[in-house]
Amino acid sequence: MCRLFGLIAPRPVKITFPLLDAAESLRRQSLSNPDGWGVGYYAGGHAVVRKQPEAAHGSPGFSRVAEHARSHLFVAHVRLRTAGGVNLANTHPFSTGGWILAQNGGIGGAWHKRIKAEIGWGRIAGKTSGEHLLYWLHARAGHLRGAARDAAIVAAVRELIADPASIGSANFVLATGDQLYAFRFSPPQGNPRSLFYLRRVPPPAEAMRGVDESLGGIPRTPAVLVASEQVTGPDEPWLPVANGCLLIARRDLSLDLERIAAA
């Protein structure tokens, strides 16, 4: 099963620690998820996606991105193939209209056909549910901002899981340039997929004097993190995203948890 990671912070940071050095880093997780890696972030106001259909633990490209990318908002993914070949078209995350999304699980062929019929059959290049979800959510909410966009995404996700018969699981992490959304859903007949979040508040000013405020050097930089695994270990207060909940996190580190479906 694929593994997800997302982060939003008040200021640009590096994510060397969770991607390379943490106890459950994405590099370590790629040992059992070897079918591709990808990192999406924002630079100069534009969405950037770096990815390759190869194992992150043996990829110089993955290490370079983890060591050098700096942004206020990240989405990262290591893949274990379930649908579609091991190639660039099926490697997460995906990007359109300044949005970036990575997904874990599958929403089923019926939803794939429905989404293509709604947004146009020629727009989706690969076979993964993540790409389908991104284009569909962007069509529903990409023209909106603020509370109106939140409401449109909530409504779309509620529609998605209203008839969950074909869904294996629908975990995803979505970045919209200014906010981070994370959803966890596994129906009774599906395969459970974990998702956790961590909200780090700024430490007292005196504790940060002389400290390099980057996730590459200090693993406790203020941020909201979401991940399939508790990447920084049990000494931090990670909490599970409840099944059927959508997390909405902002750059000021405020967050909401919207209940979409019963647990």
Side-chain angles (χ1 to χ4, degrees):
M1 55 184 174
C2 306
R3 302 284 82 185
L4 303 171
F5 175 83
L7 175 144
I8 187 166
R11 66 189 71 179
V13 299
K14 292 170 66 177
I15 56 169
T16 309
F17 185 79
L19 264 60
L20 298 182
D21 301 326
E24 290 296 333
S25 68
L26 255 66
R27 177 164 60 183
R28 179 181 178 85
Q29 292 177 48
S30 75
L31 292 170
S32 53
N33 296 270
D35 296 325
W37 65 265
V39 181
Y41 57 97
Y42 292 84
H46 300 286
V48 177
V49 173
R50 308 294 187 208
K51 57 184 181 179
Q52 289 295 328
E54 61 189 17
H57 62 84
S59 172
F62 180 77
S63 296
R64 281 194 298 271
V65 173
E67 290 168 355
H68 298 295
R70 192 176 183 93
S71 181
H72 68 284
L73 187 51
F74 286 92
V75 173
H77 185 275
V78 289
R79 183 182 184 222
L80 180 63
R81 180 182 69 87
T82 54
V86 179
N87 54 49
L88 199 60
N90 292 319
T91 305
H92 300 234
F94 303 95
S95 178
T96 190
W99 287 20
I100 303 169
L101 183 144
Q103 199 255 345
N104 178 16
I107 60 173
W111 262 107
H112 285 199
K113 291 178 181 177
R114 178 176 171 179
I115 289 171
K116 286 188 176 87
E118 182 174 326
I119 68 166
W121 283 81
R123 299 185 64 192
I124 293 176
K127 296 183 178 180
T128 71
S129 290
E131 188 179 13
H132 287 76
L133 275 174
L134 173 63
Y135 276 86
W136 185 64
L137 290 170
H138 189 266
R140 294 293 183 94
H143 59 292
L144 301 171
R145 296 292 182 271
R149 181 179 61 198
D150 293 348
I153 291 175
V154 167
V157 172
R158 182 170 287 120
E159 182 181 344
L160 174 73
I161 65 173
D163 182 11
S166 69
I167 294 176
S169 67
N171 288 19
F172 67 78
V173 177
L174 166 67
T176 59
D178 60 342
Q179 292 190 168
L180 183 71
Y181 298 80
F183 183 58
R184 178 185 173 217
F185 180 70
S186 296
Q189 82 283 357
N191 298 316
R193 301 285 199 271
S194 59
L195 193 65
F196 300 89
Y197 72 98
L198 170 67
R199 180 177 177 265
R200 291 202 191 106
V201 296
E206 60 270 16
M208 295 302 292
R209 288 200 187 99
V211 168
D212 176 15
E213 294 188 46
S214 74
L215 285 179
I218 302 298
R220 301 188 187 278
T221 299
V224 174
L225 296 80
V226 295
S228 298
E229 306 291 342
Q230 302 176 44
V231 293
T232 60
D235 59 325
E236 290 201 278
W238 288 86
L239 296 170
V241 177
N243 193 42
C245 276
L246 176 72
L247 181 145
I248 305 171
R250 306 171 187 87
R251 290 189 70 175
D252 65 2
L253 305 185
S254 65
L255 61 84
D256 294 320
L257 284 164
E258 296 281 347
R259 171 68 68 182
I260 308 296

